[in-house]
Amino acid sequence: MPSRPIRIAPSLLAADFARLGEEARAVAAAGADWLHLDIMDGHFVPNISFGPVVVKALRGQVDIPFDVHLMIAPADPYLVAFAEAGADLISVHPEAGPHLHRTLQTIRGLGKQAGLVLNPATPVSAAENVLDLCDLILVMSVNPGFGGQSFLDSQLGKIATLRRMIDAHVARGGQLIALQVDGGVTARTAGRCVEAGADVLVAGTAVFGAADYARAIADIRSAA
Ligand code: DX5
Ligand code: ZN
């Protein structure tokens, strides 16, 4: 098994929305490494979640990094708002705008880490020309829009290809790039994700659907 450190990022999408602050504090106390915040606009994806106002309100609740996954199009007009709301990392889909390179540059220019998200149907080649601008690449292992979907095994090969691409990039003197998986990650699927090369696991239902968050995070970590 690879020895790189594995980070677990619970997705607040599966939390109790009437108690978001409390839920954020609970997963942080339960051992979450990052908090994953899913931003949906009802247009890029068929669901609506929350925006920068909620991210800002949550920022004071916990100290762990905020991993903001933008499922909105266009994304560019909202980058400043999410940066100011307290995002540490902002991830975008290449389909969300005409100039991915510029979008990633803008995120970096705001002093934030930049992430690139690949949908199940988006090829690895979408990352090839922007590797220098990525602090993270996220492989969607479900179609974005909803929590609680089944993990798509078809994405494991993509994770493995990206792992080789990232390792080669680092060997050439490039910056480190985290490799994240999002969708249907549970204690049953986490091992295969890490074996394929992932080092950040997003888990919504598997954490917030459990009675004991600390146990759920520990189970995913030990499976990984
Ligand atoms: C899906 C979101 C995911 C989602 C994961 O569009 O990007 O972050 O919350 O939820 P689970 O872990 O339940 O599949
Ligand atoms: Zn997500």
Side-chain angles (χ1 to χ4, degrees):
M1 272 302 209
S3 58
R4 72 183 77 88
I6 303 302
R7 282 154 293 182
I8 312 286
S11 164
L12 207 59
L13 190 66
D16 177 352
F17 271 39
R19 301 184 299 112
L20 284 179
E22 206 178 307
E23 293 275 68
R25 291 197 303 276
V27 282
D33 297 294
W34 298 355
L35 189 65
H36 185 82
L37 297 148
D38 287 303
I39 312 301
M40 303 177 175
D41 65 356
H43 163 76
F44 183 71
V45 291
N47 195 7
I48 298 176
S49 59
F50 52 84
V53 172
V54 173
V55 174
K56 187 175 183 185
L58 291 167
R59 186 61 283 187
Q61 300 288 313
V62 288
D63 289 332
I64 56 176
F66 272 19
D67 163 28
V68 174
H69 174 190
L70 296 184
M71 287 163 275
I72 62 175
D76 289 352
Y78 302 97
L79 299 176
V80 169
F82 284 103
E84 288 178 350
D88 294 283
L89 187 144
I90 299 175
S91 297
V92 294
H93 288 250
E95 298 85 358
H99 300 291
L100 175 63
H101 190 279
R102 176 180 289 148
T103 300
L104 295 168
Q105 275 182 326
T106 302
I107 296 169
R108 287 265 189 95
L110 290 165
K112 307 301 177 183
Q113 296 206 306
L116 171 66
V117 193
L118 304 182
N119 275 335
T122 305
V124 162
S125 58
E128 273 169 15
N129 293 306
V130 291
L131 274 188
D132 285 338
L133 290 169
C134 290
D135 298 294
L136 171 143
I137 298 177
L138 164 52
V139 174
M140 289 305 302
S141 41
V142 298
N143 282 297
F146 301 95
Q149 303 180 78
S150 299
F151 183 84
L152 295 170
D153 286 323
S154 60
Q155 301 306 302
L156 289 166
K158 188 190 286 181
I159 297 169
T161 303
L162 283 162
R163 169 48 57 202
R164 287 193 294 274
M165 204 189 264
I166 290 169
D167 288 350
H169 175 76
V170 172
R172 287 194 301 270
Q175 83 287 4
L176 293 176
I177 303 173
L179 184 52
Q180 186 178 50
V181 188
D182 182 9
V185 174
T186 65
R188 280 182 48 246
T189 56
R192 276 177 288 156
C193 295
V194 171
E195 207 166 3
D199 54 12
V200 188
L201 304 176
V202 175
T205 311
V207 173
F208 287 102
D212 180 342
Y213 298 168
R215 164 69 69 87
I217 291 169
D219 283 351
I220 295 169
R221 210 184 286 286
S222 65

